Structure formats: structure tokens, C-alpha cells
Amino acid sequence: MTVDGQALLDAFRRHLSSHNLPVTQQRLAVAEAVFLSGAHLSAEEIAARAAARGTAVGTATVYRTLDLLVKSGLAREHDFGDGFKRYEPGSGKQPHEHCICSSCGAVTEFSNDRLERMIALLAEEVEFRPHHHRLEVYGLCRSCQQSNPLARAR
Amino acid sequence: MTVDGQALLDAFRRHLSSHNLPVTQQRLAVAEAVFLSGAHLSAEEIAARAAARGTAVGTATVYRTLDLLVKSGLAREHDFGDGFKRYEPGSGKQPHEHCICSSCGAVTEFSNDRLERMIALLAEEVEFRPHHHRLEVYGLCRSCQQSNPLARAR
DNA sequence: ATGGGTGCAAATCCTTTGCACTCGG
DNA sequence: CCGAGTGCAAAGGATTTGCACCCAT
């Protein structure tokens, strides 16, 4: 497991302890599956990875644990419009945006302070008090541009 | 019906005719419900409004017609994370972004060319070929800020 | 020991689909 | 007339929930 992953897992243990919540095998297995992968996994994929690493976890528990992770700030939840949610390790990373490839589904990330500030400012201009936002760019990732030079992004 | 709404409805009639698709009561009723409201309605609300105006439309037909509207570019589909899709009249308006009130659900819109350009540029910087994007800002709308001066947006 | 956690299956919610019937062109 | 459109109800897929049993603390 990566250093980052390990750090997040420890943070999760601490979060559980400090909230008097039992540290169970299942919770750790789900958290590990999320933290291990830099990817944006579905609940189903997370369950599969936990099982592959030796701890089968019931669907309900997967969802309940993902909730815990999101609420504790250790994971982030996304909806890229596939009809299901995706999760990525959360804390420590600066806020960032996602580019989703319409052809292969790959996710590329970027972040930019000026963009964040501009978004907040524009919201305030219409008398809205911004708290957070989500920005998703759809198009073609690098490799899909190459394999389909003429393809138009959907 | 507003001038805009009427224009869109005519455009829809033309779209149907030119594609050799029957212009049915149901299709017009659904389209009218979407075009009449500047709001961002759910499929259920759209069905209710069509029924209220005298033409009850089956759920399946509502969805099928909304698909038609979206594909023809006359309506836009949104997912604000409520677990269902929302629809708004589409064509004619410039691309715009949405601020969704975490307290009351109200939607405020804004648009800004520089923002659009910056988003495209930032995506290109990570070698992504952008096609379209969606940006949603969550926070408190004007009236919820006033009624809850101390509230923190969720 | 003991209260919360867990798994299973049933339940929900939105949306889609199969099919016999109806209607617009 | 006739093929596409419609409504109903059943199917689907992701997520949630009820409940008896199990395990961290």
C-alpha cells in the first residue's frame, strides 16, 4: 500500500476510535480498497477489491462504510452520470476537477486556484453563497484522441 | 405561454415533422410543460403539469419524449444529485452554469465567457480534448442566506 | 456482556422495456 | 390503412432498510 494510502487508513482508524465506533475488518477492507486505488471506483468495484484481498464484505456494509468515509472527509463521492456513484481517496489532496473520457471512461484530473476563485466569485455575483462545487469536463482523453484521431467527443 | 416557449414548441413541431415523427398530443403536452417553466423540473413534475393542463401522459411516454427533446437540442438534462434528472428548456440560451441551494433547492444561473474559456484551456493543458462540461455550485441562495443568516451552506 | 456492526433479502426509487392497442399522416 | 406511438405493468439497476445474529471493546 502506498504511503498515502497507509496514512489515510491510519486516519480512518483514528476517526473510528475517536468516535467510539468499532474498527471492524470490513470497514478496514472497504477503506483499504478505496485508498489503494487512485482511481474512481464504484461501490461494486470496491466490494470486489475488498473480496479479492481476502475480506468479503456485504453490499449494505460497503455502502454504510463508504458513507462513513465520505462523512469523515477521507473519501470523496462523485457522480459522473453513469447511473452510479464513484469514490476516490479524499483528504490531503487539494480540490480538483475531473475530465471524463466519453469514449473509454478514463478520468484525468486537474486543479487551478484561479479557476476556483473565479467560480466562487461568479456565484457571489448572482448573490449566491458558494460552499462547494463540482465541475466535470467531458471529451476525449489523450489516448482516445490518438486511437481515434477523427473522432468527435460525445 | 411565453414567446420563447411558443418558439420552442414550434421548433419541436418542425423537428418532429422533418424527421417524419408523428406530432402527438402527448409529445406536445410534455414539451409544453418543459418549455412553459423556466424551472428545472423532474420527469414526475413534468407529467403532473401536462396532466394539470388537460393531457395525462403515461410515465414511459414522458421519458421517451424527454429523450427526444434532449436529443433534438430543445431541452437540457441535468442531474443535481437528488437521485433523479431534471429538465429545462434548452436551445437559444447560451451555455450557463447552475447554483443549487443546499437548503431549499432553488436554482440560480449564471454564465461567463472567460470561465468557459478557462475551463476548456485547463482541460487542454492535461491533454484532454474537451467537448462539454457541467459545473454546479452548491451553497445558499439569496433568500436562504437571509432567513438563516448564520447558517453554513451544506 | 452488550451495543453497534454485519449480512441477507426484501424494499425503494427512478427509469426502461415488452407488448397489445390506438392514432396520426 | 399501418407503422410508429402510447399506456400499463413488469423489469432493471443502484442504493437503502429491517432484522436476527455476531464481534469489537
mmCIF file of all heavy atoms in Angstrom, chain A residues 79 99-100 114 118 122 127-129 131-136 138-140 142 145 151 153-154, chain B residues 79 99-100 112 114 118 122 127-129 131-136 138-140 142 145 151 153-154:
data_model
loop_
_atom_site.group_PDB
_atom_site.id
_atom_site.type_symbol
_atom_site.label_atom_id
_atom_site.label_comp_id
_atom_site.label_asym_id
_atom_site.label_seq_id
_atom_site.Cartn_x
_atom_site.Cartn_y
_atom_site.Cartn_z
ATOM 1 N N ASP A 79 -20.416 11.637 -9.020
ATOM 2 C CA ASP A 79 -21.417 11.057 -9.899
ATOM 3 C C ASP A 79 -21.108 11.550 -11.294
ATOM 4 O O ASP A 79 -21.331 12.711 -11.603
ATOM 5 C CB ASP A 79 -22.816 11.503 -9.459
ATOM 6 C CG ASP A 79 -23.885 10.912 -10.358
ATOM 7 O OD1 ASP A 79 -23.537 10.315 -11.398
ATOM 8 O OD2 ASP A 79 -25.069 11.056 -10.030
ATOM 9 N N CYS A 99 -11.798 15.368 -15.717
ATOM 10 C CA CYS A 99 -12.114 15.237 -17.142
ATOM 11 C C CYS A 99 -12.470 13.779 -17.373
ATOM 12 O O CYS A 99 -11.670 12.890 -17.077
ATOM 13 C CB CYS A 99 -10.904 15.584 -18.004
ATOM 14 S SG CYS A 99 -10.300 17.260 -17.776
ATOM 15 N N ILE A 100 -13.657 13.531 -17.872
ATOM 16 C CA ILE A 100 -14.092 12.157 -18.079
ATOM 17 C C ILE A 100 -14.142 11.849 -19.579
ATOM 18 O O ILE A 100 -14.831 12.531 -20.334
ATOM 19 C CB ILE A 100 -15.485 11.924 -17.457
ATOM 20 C CG1 ILE A 100 -15.415 12.164 -15.952
ATOM 21 C CG2 ILE A 100 -15.972 10.513 -17.737
ATOM 22 C CD1 ILE A 100 -15.975 13.485 -15.524
ATOM 23 N N ARG A 114 -6.910 29.819 -9.718
ATOM 24 C CA ARG A 114 -7.658 30.934 -10.316
ATOM 25 C C ARG A 114 -9.053 30.488 -10.702
ATOM 26 O O ARG A 114 -10.026 31.222 -10.548
ATOM 27 C CB ARG A 114 -6.932 31.460 -11.547
ATOM 28 C CG ARG A 114 -5.945 32.565 -11.224
ATOM 29 C CD ARG A 114 -5.376 33.160 -12.515
ATOM 30 N NE ARG A 114 -6.395 33.697 -13.403
ATOM 31 C CZ ARG A 114 -6.288 33.734 -14.730
ATOM 32 N NH1 ARG A 114 -5.244 33.206 -15.323
ATOM 33 N NH2 ARG A 114 -7.252 34.272 -15.451
ATOM 34 N N MET A 118 -12.462 32.090 -9.447
ATOM 35 C CA MET A 118 -13.416 32.655 -10.402
ATOM 36 C C MET A 118 -14.806 32.073 -10.217
ATOM 37 O O MET A 118 -15.812 32.790 -10.265
ATOM 38 C CB MET A 118 -12.948 32.405 -11.837
ATOM 39 C CG MET A 118 -13.838 33.108 -12.841
ATOM 40 S SD MET A 118 -13.335 32.846 -14.555
ATOM 41 C CE MET A 118 -11.691 33.465 -14.534
ATOM 42 N N LEU A 122 -18.063 34.290 -9.352
ATOM 43 C CA LEU A 122 -19.212 34.363 -10.252
ATOM 44 C C LEU A 122 -20.498 33.989 -9.533
ATOM 45 O O LEU A 122 -21.555 34.570 -9.775
ATOM 46 C CB LEU A 122 -18.998 33.447 -11.467
ATOM 47 C CG LEU A 122 -17.932 33.941 -12.451
ATOM 48 C CD1 LEU A 122 -17.591 32.867 -13.463
ATOM 49 C CD2 LEU A 122 -18.409 35.218 -13.146
ATOM 50 N N GLU A 127 -25.501 36.696 -6.108
ATOM 51 C CA GLU A 127 -25.954 36.691 -4.715
ATOM 52 C C GLU A 127 -26.114 35.304 -4.127
ATOM 53 O O GLU A 127 -26.995 35.061 -3.313
ATOM 54 C CB GLU A 127 -27.271 37.463 -4.577
ATOM 55 C CG GLU A 127 -27.126 38.876 -5.100
ATOM 56 C CD GLU A 127 -28.339 39.710 -4.754
ATOM 57 O OE1 GLU A 127 -28.451 40.078 -3.575
ATOM 58 O OE2 GLU A 127 -29.179 39.971 -5.642
ATOM 59 N N PHE A 128 -25.277 34.400 -4.578
ATOM 60 C CA PHE A 128 -25.298 33.037 -4.063
ATOM 61 C C PHE A 128 -24.089 32.889 -3.147
ATOM 62 O O PHE A 128 -23.014 33.417 -3.435
ATOM 63 C CB PHE A 128 -25.193 32.062 -5.241
ATOM 64 C CG PHE A 128 -25.485 30.638 -4.881
ATOM 65 C CD1 PHE A 128 -26.792 30.174 -4.853
ATOM 66 C CD2 PHE A 128 -24.452 29.760 -4.575
ATOM 67 C CE1 PHE A 128 -27.068 28.851 -4.531
ATOM 68 C CE2 PHE A 128 -24.721 28.440 -4.247
ATOM 69 C CZ PHE A 128 -26.038 27.984 -4.227
ATOM 70 N N ARG A 129 -24.268 32.206 -2.021
ATOM 71 C CA ARG A 129 -23.122 31.979 -1.145
ATOM 72 C C ARG A 129 -22.590 30.570 -1.405
ATOM 73 O O ARG A 129 -23.166 29.595 -0.916
ATOM 74 C CB ARG A 129 -23.519 32.120 0.320
ATOM 75 C CG ARG A 129 -22.289 32.103 1.240
ATOM 76 C CD ARG A 129 -22.685 31.939 2.685
ATOM 77 N NE ARG A 129 -23.523 33.041 3.132
ATOM 78 C CZ ARG A 129 -24.130 33.065 4.317
ATOM 79 N NH1 ARG A 129 -23.993 32.047 5.160
ATOM 80 N NH2 ARG A 129 -24.882 34.081 4.647
ATOM 81 N N HIS A 131 -20.544 27.119 -1.397
ATOM 82 C CA HIS A 131 -19.929 26.288 -0.369
ATOM 83 C C HIS A 131 -18.953 25.319 -1.032
ATOM 84 O O HIS A 131 -17.819 25.182 -0.630
ATOM 85 C CB HIS A 131 -21.009 25.518 0.396
ATOM 86 C CG HIS A 131 -20.449 24.633 1.453
ATOM 87 N ND1 HIS A 131 -20.381 23.258 1.298
ATOM 88 C CD2 HIS A 131 -19.912 24.911 2.657
ATOM 89 C CE1 HIS A 131 -19.822 22.742 2.390
ATOM 90 N NE2 HIS A 131 -19.541 23.707 3.224
ATOM 91 N N HIS A 132 -19.429 24.620 -2.042
ATOM 92 C CA HIS A 132 -18.532 23.767 -2.805
ATOM 93 C C HIS A 132 -19.129 23.613 -4.195
ATOM 94 O O HIS A 132 -20.254 24.048 -4.443
ATOM 95 C CB HIS A 132 -18.383 22.399 -2.132
ATOM 96 C CG HIS A 132 -19.630 21.585 -2.110
ATOM 97 N ND1 HIS A 132 -20.644 21.807 -1.201
ATOM 98 C CD2 HIS A 132 -20.059 20.586 -2.908
ATOM 99 C CE1 HIS A 132 -21.625 20.953 -1.426
ATOM 100 N NE2 HIS A 132 -21.298 20.187 -2.471
ATOM 101 N N HIS A 133 -18.380 23.023 -5.092
ATOM 102 C CA HIS A 133 -18.916 22.866 -6.440
ATOM 103 C C HIS A 133 -18.393 21.590 -7.042
ATOM 104 O O HIS A 133 -17.519 20.940 -6.479
ATOM 105 C CB HIS A 133 -18.514 24.054 -7.315
ATOM 106 C CG HIS A 133 -17.035 24.161 -7.505
ATOM 107 N ND1 HIS A 133 -16.276 25.060 -6.796
ATOM 108 C CD2 HIS A 133 -16.169 23.472 -8.281
ATOM 109 C CE1 HIS A 133 -15.012 24.913 -7.158
ATOM 110 N NE2 HIS A 133 -14.914 23.957 -8.054
ATOM 111 N N ARG A 134 -18.975 21.241 -8.165
ATOM 112 C CA ARG A 134 -18.398 20.142 -8.902
ATOM 113 C C ARG A 134 -18.356 20.500 -10.363
ATOM 114 O O ARG A 134 -19.284 21.087 -10.913
ATOM 115 C CB ARG A 134 -19.166 18.858 -8.641
ATOM 116 C CG ARG A 134 -20.500 18.804 -9.279
ATOM 117 C CD ARG A 134 -21.212 17.587 -8.743
ATOM 118 N NE ARG A 134 -22.019 16.983 -9.770
ATOM 119 C CZ ARG A 134 -23.016 16.135 -9.496
ATOM 120 N NH1 ARG A 134 -23.297 15.838 -8.248
ATOM 121 N NH2 ARG A 134 -23.699 15.601 -10.473
ATOM 122 N N LEU A 135 -17.222 20.199 -10.942
ATOM 123 C CA LEU A 135 -17.003 20.526 -12.341
ATOM 124 C C LEU A 135 -16.528 19.264 -13.027
ATOM 125 O O LEU A 135 -15.582 18.627 -12.565
ATOM 126 C CB LEU A 135 -15.940 21.624 -12.459
ATOM 127 C CG LEU A 135 -15.415 21.881 -13.875
ATOM 128 C CD1 LEU A 135 -16.536 22.267 -14.829
ATOM 129 C CD2 LEU A 135 -14.361 22.975 -13.851
ATOM 130 N N GLU A 136 -17.215 18.886 -14.073
ATOM 131 C CA GLU A 136 -16.775 17.726 -14.845
ATOM 132 C C GLU A 136 -16.695 18.118 -16.298
ATOM 133 O O GLU A 136 -17.633 18.680 -16.845
ATOM 134 C CB GLU A 136 -17.772 16.570 -14.690
ATOM 135 C CG GLU A 136 -17.686 15.915 -13.328
ATOM 136 C CD GLU A 136 -19.054 15.622 -12.778
ATOM 137 O OE1 GLU A 136 -19.972 15.365 -13.561
ATOM 138 O OE2 GLU A 136 -19.210 15.685 -11.533
ATOM 139 N N TYR A 138 -16.327 16.736 -20.085
ATOM 140 C CA TYR A 138 -16.464 15.518 -20.879
ATOM 141 C C TYR A 138 -15.817 15.734 -22.239
ATOM 142 O O TYR A 138 -15.883 16.825 -22.799
ATOM 143 C CB TYR A 138 -17.947 15.159 -21.042
ATOM 144 C CG TYR A 138 -18.582 14.796 -19.721
ATOM 145 C CD1 TYR A 138 -19.124 15.777 -18.890
ATOM 146 C CD2 TYR A 138 -18.581 13.482 -19.274
ATOM 147 C CE1 TYR A 138 -19.668 15.453 -17.658
ATOM 148 C CE2 TYR A 138 -19.128 13.145 -18.041
ATOM 149 C CZ TYR A 138 -19.667 14.132 -17.244
ATOM 150 O OH TYR A 138 -20.197 13.807 -16.027
ATOM 151 N N GLY A 139 -15.162 14.723 -22.747
ATOM 152 C CA GLY A 139 -14.492 14.840 -24.034
ATOM 153 C C GLY A 139 -13.656 13.604 -24.282
ATOM 154 O O GLY A 139 -14.051 12.511 -23.876
ATOM 155 N N LEU A 140 -12.511 13.774 -24.907
ATOM 156 C CA LEU A 140 -11.665 12.624 -25.223
ATOM 157 C C LEU A 140 -10.329 12.719 -24.487
ATOM 158 O O LEU A 140 -9.658 13.743 -24.547
ATOM 159 C CB LEU A 140 -11.397 12.545 -26.727
ATOM 160 C CG LEU A 140 -12.565 12.152 -27.623
ATOM 161 C CD1 LEU A 140 -12.106 12.075 -29.071
ATOM 162 C CD2 LEU A 140 -13.154 10.810 -27.185
ATOM 163 N N ARG A 142 -6.350 11.621 -23.722
ATOM 164 C CA ARG A 142 -5.234 11.626 -24.648
ATOM 165 C C ARG A 142 -5.185 10.388 -25.522
ATOM 166 O O ARG A 142 -5.089 10.480 -26.747
ATOM 167 C CB ARG A 142 -3.930 11.737 -23.861
ATOM 168 C CG ARG A 142 -2.736 11.904 -24.787
ATOM 169 C CD ARG A 142 -1.575 12.504 -24.045
ATOM 170 N NE ARG A 142 -1.028 11.560 -23.095
ATOM 171 C CZ ARG A 142 0.206 11.048 -23.183
ATOM 172 N NH1 ARG A 142 0.976 11.369 -24.200
ATOM 173 N NH2 ARG A 142 0.644 10.229 -22.265
ATOM 174 N N GLN A 145 -7.861 10.186 -28.169
ATOM 175 C CA GLN A 145 -7.643 11.124 -29.271
ATOM 176 C C GLN A 145 -6.723 10.477 -30.288
ATOM 177 O O GLN A 145 -6.929 10.589 -31.501
ATOM 178 C CB GLN A 145 -6.962 12.403 -28.780
ATOM 179 C CG GLN A 145 -7.843 13.318 -27.976
ATOM 180 C CD GLN A 145 -7.027 14.444 -27.343
ATOM 181 O OE1 GLN A 145 -6.214 15.084 -27.978
ATOM 182 N NE2 GLN A 145 -7.245 14.670 -26.054
ATOM 183 N N ALA A 151 -12.228 11.172 -34.353
ATOM 184 C CA ALA A 151 -13.428 11.033 -33.530
ATOM 185 C C ALA A 151 -13.815 12.373 -32.930
ATOM 186 O O ALA A 151 -12.963 13.158 -32.523
ATOM 187 C CB ALA A 151 -13.194 10.018 -32.418
ATOM 188 N N ALA A 153 -15.643 14.032 -29.844
ATOM 189 C CA ALA A 153 -16.059 13.670 -28.486
ATOM 190 C C ALA A 153 -17.564 13.778 -28.400
ATOM 191 O O ALA A 153 -18.175 14.652 -29.009
ATOM 192 C CB ALA A 153 -15.411 14.606 -27.478
ATOM 193 N N ARG A 154 -18.153 12.860 -27.651
ATOM 194 C CA ARG A 154 -19.601 12.908 -27.465
ATOM 195 C C ARG A 154 -19.973 13.935 -26.433
ATOM 196 O O ARG A 154 -19.345 13.984 -25.377
ATOM 197 C CB ARG A 154 -20.115 11.540 -27.001
ATOM 198 C CG ARG A 154 -20.630 10.712 -28.148
ATOM 199 C CD ARG A 154 -21.012 9.353 -27.616
ATOM 200 N NE ARG A 154 -19.839 8.635 -27.117
ATOM 201 C CZ ARG A 154 -19.916 7.492 -26.454
ATOM 202 N NH1 ARG A 154 -21.079 6.969 -26.184
ATOM 203 N NH2 ARG A 154 -18.828 6.884 -26.051
ATOM 204 N N ASP B 79 -28.460 16.619 -13.694
ATOM 205 C CA ASP B 79 -28.533 15.752 -12.527
ATOM 206 C C ASP B 79 -27.897 16.503 -11.382
ATOM 207 O O ASP B 79 -26.689 16.641 -11.339
ATOM 208 C CB ASP B 79 -27.787 14.449 -12.805
ATOM 209 C CG ASP B 79 -27.839 13.514 -11.607
ATOM 210 O OD1 ASP B 79 -28.303 13.951 -10.533
ATOM 211 O OD2 ASP B 79 -27.398 12.366 -11.733
ATOM 212 N N CYS B 99 -26.272 27.302 -9.815
ATOM 213 C CA CYS B 99 -26.021 27.327 -8.375
ATOM 214 C C CYS B 99 -27.240 26.668 -7.723
ATOM 215 O O CYS B 99 -28.369 27.115 -7.942
ATOM 216 C CB CYS B 99 -25.916 28.757 -7.866
ATOM 217 S SG CYS B 99 -24.566 29.689 -8.601
ATOM 218 N N ILE B 100 -27.021 25.614 -6.964
ATOM 219 C CA ILE B 100 -28.133 24.901 -6.353
ATOM 220 C C ILE B 100 -28.132 25.144 -4.846
ATOM 221 O O ILE B 100 -27.144 24.864 -4.164
ATOM 222 C CB ILE B 100 -28.044 23.390 -6.642
ATOM 223 C CG1 ILE B 100 -28.127 23.148 -8.133
ATOM 224 C CG2 ILE B 100 -29.163 22.653 -5.921
ATOM 225 C CD1 ILE B 100 -26.811 22.834 -8.791
ATOM 226 N N ASN B 112 -20.538 32.992 -18.029
ATOM 227 C CA ASN B 112 -19.384 33.867 -18.172
ATOM 228 C C ASN B 112 -18.437 33.277 -19.201
ATOM 229 O O ASN B 112 -17.958 32.153 -19.046
ATOM 230 C CB ASN B 112 -18.701 34.000 -16.806
ATOM 231 C CG ASN B 112 -17.495 34.923 -16.869
ATOM 232 O OD1 ASN B 112 -16.444 34.522 -17.361
ATOM 233 N ND2 ASN B 112 -17.655 36.137 -16.396
ATOM 234 N N ARG B 114 -15.365 34.079 -20.004
ATOM 235 C CA ARG B 114 -13.989 33.819 -19.572
ATOM 236 C C ARG B 114 -13.908 32.487 -18.852
ATOM 237 O O ARG B 114 -12.945 31.738 -19.005
ATOM 238 C CB ARG B 114 -13.490 34.943 -18.650
ATOM 239 C CG ARG B 114 -12.807 36.068 -19.426
ATOM 240 C CD ARG B 114 -12.191 37.063 -18.456
ATOM 241 N NE ARG B 114 -11.194 36.483 -17.548
ATOM 242 C CZ ARG B 114 -10.972 36.909 -16.316
ATOM 243 N NH1 ARG B 114 -11.685 37.894 -15.811
ATOM 244 N NH2 ARG B 114 -10.032 36.339 -15.580
ATOM 245 N N MET B 118 -11.594 29.398 -19.814
ATOM 246 C CA MET B 118 -10.586 28.898 -18.874
ATOM 247 C C MET B 118 -10.749 27.398 -18.651
ATOM 248 O O MET B 118 -9.767 26.652 -18.607
ATOM 249 C CB MET B 118 -10.695 29.625 -17.529
ATOM 250 C CG MET B 118 -9.576 29.225 -16.585
ATOM 251 S SD MET B 118 -9.647 30.045 -14.984
ATOM 252 C CE MET B 118 -9.608 31.735 -15.463
ATOM 253 N N LEU B 122 -7.856 24.713 -19.410
ATOM 254 C CA LEU B 122 -7.258 23.879 -18.357
ATOM 255 C C LEU B 122 -7.351 22.401 -18.722
ATOM 256 O O LEU B 122 -6.434 21.622 -18.456
ATOM 257 C CB LEU B 122 -7.956 24.145 -17.022
ATOM 258 C CG LEU B 122 -7.633 25.513 -16.411
ATOM 259 C CD1 LEU B 122 -8.553 25.810 -15.242
ATOM 260 C CD2 LEU B 122 -6.171 25.568 -15.969
ATOM 261 N N GLU B 127 -3.926 17.573 -21.705
ATOM 262 C CA GLU B 127 -4.042 16.796 -22.937
ATOM 263 C C GLU B 127 -5.395 16.141 -23.127
ATOM 264 O O GLU B 127 -5.515 15.047 -23.674
ATOM 265 C CB GLU B 127 -2.941 15.734 -23.022
ATOM 266 C CG GLU B 127 -1.559 16.370 -22.912
ATOM 267 C CD GLU B 127 -0.479 15.347 -23.230
ATOM 268 O OE1 GLU B 127 -0.333 15.033 -24.411
ATOM 269 O OE2 GLU B 127 0.182 14.873 -22.292
ATOM 270 N N PHE B 128 -6.408 16.814 -22.644
ATOM 271 C CA PHE B 128 -7.768 16.313 -22.791
ATOM 272 C C PHE B 128 -8.449 17.174 -23.853
ATOM 273 O O PHE B 128 -8.243 18.390 -23.905
ATOM 274 C CB PHE B 128 -8.494 16.438 -21.443
ATOM 275 C CG PHE B 128 -9.802 15.717 -21.391
ATOM 276 C CD1 PHE B 128 -9.850 14.367 -21.063
ATOM 277 C CD2 PHE B 128 -10.990 16.391 -21.650
ATOM 278 C CE1 PHE B 128 -11.057 13.692 -21.001
ATOM 279 C CE2 PHE B 128 -12.205 15.723 -21.592
ATOM 280 C CZ PHE B 128 -12.235 14.369 -21.269
ATOM 281 N N ARG B 129 -9.244 16.558 -24.715
ATOM 282 C CA ARG B 129 -9.958 17.352 -25.705
ATOM 283 C C ARG B 129 -11.382 17.563 -25.233
ATOM 284 O O ARG B 129 -12.222 16.658 -25.336
ATOM 285 C CB ARG B 129 -9.973 16.651 -27.059
ATOM 286 C CG ARG B 129 -10.543 17.567 -28.162
ATOM 287 C CD ARG B 129 -10.840 16.803 -29.427
ATOM 288 N NE ARG B 129 -9.652 16.180 -29.976
ATOM 289 C CZ ARG B 129 -9.670 15.307 -30.978
ATOM 290 N NH1 ARG B 129 -10.815 14.963 -31.532
ATOM 291 N NH2 ARG B 129 -8.561 14.765 -31.411
ATOM 292 N N HIS B 131 -15.243 18.566 -24.743
ATOM 293 C CA HIS B 131 -16.400 18.668 -25.629
ATOM 294 C C HIS B 131 -17.488 19.502 -24.947
ATOM 295 O O HIS B 131 -18.002 20.434 -25.505
ATOM 296 C CB HIS B 131 -16.922 17.275 -25.973
ATOM 297 C CG HIS B 131 -18.124 17.307 -26.854
ATOM 298 N ND1 HIS B 131 -19.383 17.039 -26.386
ATOM 299 C CD2 HIS B 131 -18.264 17.597 -28.168
ATOM 300 C CE1 HIS B 131 -20.251 17.168 -27.397
ATOM 301 N NE2 HIS B 131 -19.601 17.499 -28.473
ATOM 302 N N HIS B 132 -17.798 19.123 -23.738
ATOM 303 C CA HIS B 132 -18.732 19.935 -22.962
ATOM 304 C C HIS B 132 -18.437 19.691 -21.490
ATOM 305 O O HIS B 132 -17.651 18.814 -21.157
ATOM 306 C CB HIS B 132 -20.174 19.584 -23.295
ATOM 307 C CG HIS B 132 -20.563 18.202 -22.874
ATOM 308 N ND1 HIS B 132 -20.220 17.085 -23.606
ATOM 309 C CD2 HIS B 132 -21.224 17.732 -21.782
ATOM 310 C CE1 HIS B 132 -20.674 16.012 -23.005
ATOM 311 N NE2 HIS B 132 -21.292 16.371 -21.891
ATOM 312 N N HIS B 133 -19.056 20.454 -20.644
ATOM 313 C CA HIS B 133 -18.783 20.254 -19.215
ATOM 314 C C HIS B 133 -20.030 20.566 -18.424
ATOM 315 O O HIS B 133 -21.007 21.086 -18.961
ATOM 316 C CB HIS B 133 -17.638 21.165 -18.751
ATOM 317 C CG HIS B 133 -17.961 22.623 -18.865
ATOM 318 N ND1 HIS B 133 -17.499 23.392 -19.897
ATOM 319 C CD2 HIS B 133 -18.735 23.449 -18.103
ATOM 320 C CE1 HIS B 133 -17.955 24.628 -19.758
ATOM 321 N NE2 HIS B 133 -18.716 24.684 -18.682
ATOM 322 N N ARG B 134 -19.962 20.224 -17.163
ATOM 323 C CA ARG B 134 -21.040 20.663 -16.297
ATOM 324 C C ARG B 134 -20.451 21.162 -15.003
ATOM 325 O O ARG B 134 -19.529 20.582 -14.442
ATOM 326 C CB ARG B 134 -22.061 19.562 -16.060
ATOM 327 C CG ARG B 134 -21.575 18.440 -15.213
ATOM 328 C CD ARG B 134 -22.599 17.331 -15.329
ATOM 329 N NE ARG B 134 -22.786 16.696 -14.037
ATOM 330 C CZ ARG B 134 -23.339 15.491 -13.908
ATOM 331 N NH1 ARG B 134 -23.734 14.835 -14.980
ATOM 332 N NH2 ARG B 134 -23.493 14.952 -12.720
ATOM 333 N N LEU B 135 -20.969 22.281 -14.580
ATOM 334 C CA LEU B 135 -20.473 22.909 -13.362
ATOM 335 C C LEU B 135 -21.682 23.198 -12.488
ATOM 336 O O LEU B 135 -22.650 23.805 -12.932
ATOM 337 C CB LEU B 135 -19.757 24.221 -13.703
ATOM 338 C CG LEU B 135 -19.422 25.127 -12.520
ATOM 339 C CD1 LEU B 135 -18.541 24.415 -11.501
ATOM 340 C CD2 LEU B 135 -18.739 26.392 -13.008
ATOM 341 N N GLU B 136 -21.630 22.716 -11.268
ATOM 342 C CA GLU B 136 -22.701 23.015 -10.334
ATOM 343 C C GLU B 136 -22.095 23.550 -9.052
ATOM 344 O O GLU B 136 -21.168 22.953 -8.510
ATOM 345 C CB GLU B 136 -23.495 21.754 -10.006
ATOM 346 C CG GLU B 136 -24.413 21.341 -11.139
ATOM 347 C CD GLU B 136 -24.386 19.849 -11.350
ATOM 348 O OE1 GLU B 136 -24.191 19.108 -10.372
ATOM 349 O OE2 GLU B 136 -24.511 19.414 -12.518
ATOM 350 N N TYR B 138 -22.801 24.483 -5.186
ATOM 351 C CA TYR B 138 -23.742 24.237 -4.101
ATOM 352 C C TYR B 138 -23.485 25.235 -2.985
ATOM 353 O O TYR B 138 -22.340 25.589 -2.710
ATOM 354 C CB TYR B 138 -23.594 22.804 -3.583
ATOM 355 C CG TYR B 138 -23.989 21.787 -4.633
ATOM 356 C CD1 TYR B 138 -23.063 21.323 -5.572
ATOM 357 C CD2 TYR B 138 -25.303 21.343 -4.726
ATOM 358 C CE1 TYR B 138 -23.438 20.425 -6.562
ATOM 359 C CE2 TYR B 138 -25.689 20.447 -5.702
ATOM 360 C CZ TYR B 138 -24.756 19.984 -6.620
ATOM 361 O OH TYR B 138 -25.142 19.110 -7.604
ATOM 362 N N GLY B 139 -24.536 25.694 -2.361
ATOM 363 C CA GLY B 139 -24.386 26.674 -1.293
ATOM 364 C C GLY B 139 -25.745 27.211 -0.901
ATOM 365 O O GLY B 139 -26.724 26.470 -0.944
ATOM 366 N N LEU B 140 -25.819 28.497 -0.549
ATOM 367 C CA LEU B 140 -27.095 29.065 -0.126
ATOM 368 C C LEU B 140 -27.557 30.146 -1.086
ATOM 369 O O LEU B 140 -26.806 31.062 -1.405
ATOM 370 C CB LEU B 140 -26.977 29.667 1.282
ATOM 371 C CG LEU B 140 -26.821 28.693 2.453
ATOM 372 C CD1 LEU B 140 -26.785 29.466 3.764
ATOM 373 C CD2 LEU B 140 -27.971 27.688 2.464
ATOM 374 N N ARG B 142 -29.938 33.401 -2.254
ATOM 375 C CA ARG B 142 -30.100 34.679 -1.580
ATOM 376 C C ARG B 142 -31.112 34.621 -0.441
ATOM 377 O O ARG B 142 -30.826 35.044 0.670
ATOM 378 C CB ARG B 142 -30.554 35.736 -2.592
ATOM 379 C CG ARG B 142 -30.614 37.112 -1.964
ATOM 380 C CD ARG B 142 -30.515 38.170 -3.023
ATOM 381 N NE ARG B 142 -31.734 38.202 -3.816
ATOM 382 C CZ ARG B 142 -32.550 39.256 -3.844
ATOM 383 N NH1 ARG B 142 -32.268 40.328 -3.121
ATOM 384 N NH2 ARG B 142 -33.613 39.238 -4.596
ATOM 385 N N GLN B 145 -29.974 32.694 2.606
ATOM 386 C CA GLN B 145 -28.957 33.408 3.382
ATOM 387 C C GLN B 145 -29.656 34.349 4.344
ATOM 388 O O GLN B 145 -29.249 34.512 5.489
ATOM 389 C CB GLN B 145 -28.059 34.247 2.469
ATOM 390 C CG GLN B 145 -27.088 33.465 1.629
ATOM 391 C CD GLN B 145 -26.406 34.348 0.601
ATOM 392 O OE1 GLN B 145 -25.943 35.432 0.927
ATOM 393 N NE2 GLN B 145 -26.381 33.888 -0.639
ATOM 394 N N ALA B 151 -26.551 30.371 9.026
ATOM 395 C CA ALA B 151 -26.450 29.008 8.501
ATOM 396 C C ALA B 151 -25.198 28.859 7.650
ATOM 397 O O ALA B 151 -24.803 29.759 6.928
ATOM 398 C CB ALA B 151 -27.683 28.687 7.661
ATOM 399 N N ALA B 153 -23.701 26.874 4.614
ATOM 400 C CA ALA B 153 -24.179 26.061 3.497
ATOM 401 C C ALA B 153 -23.622 24.661 3.643
ATOM 402 O O ALA B 153 -22.489 24.469 4.072
ATOM 403 C CB ALA B 153 -23.706 26.674 2.177
ATOM 404 N N ARG B 154 -24.476 23.689 3.288
ATOM 405 C CA ARG B 154 -24.019 22.305 3.370
ATOM 406 C C ARG B 154 -23.155 21.990 2.171
ATOM 407 O O ARG B 154 -23.514 22.312 1.055
ATOM 408 C CB ARG B 154 -25.208 21.350 3.396
ATOM 409 C CG ARG B 154 -25.565 20.933 4.796
ATOM 410 C CD ARG B 154 -26.811 20.083 4.751
ATOM 411 N NE ARG B 154 -27.958 20.875 4.304
ATOM 412 C CZ ARG B 154 -29.133 20.337 3.980
ATOM 413 N NH1 ARG B 154 -29.306 19.047 4.031
ATOM 414 N NH2 ARG B 154 -30.138 21.109 3.603
#
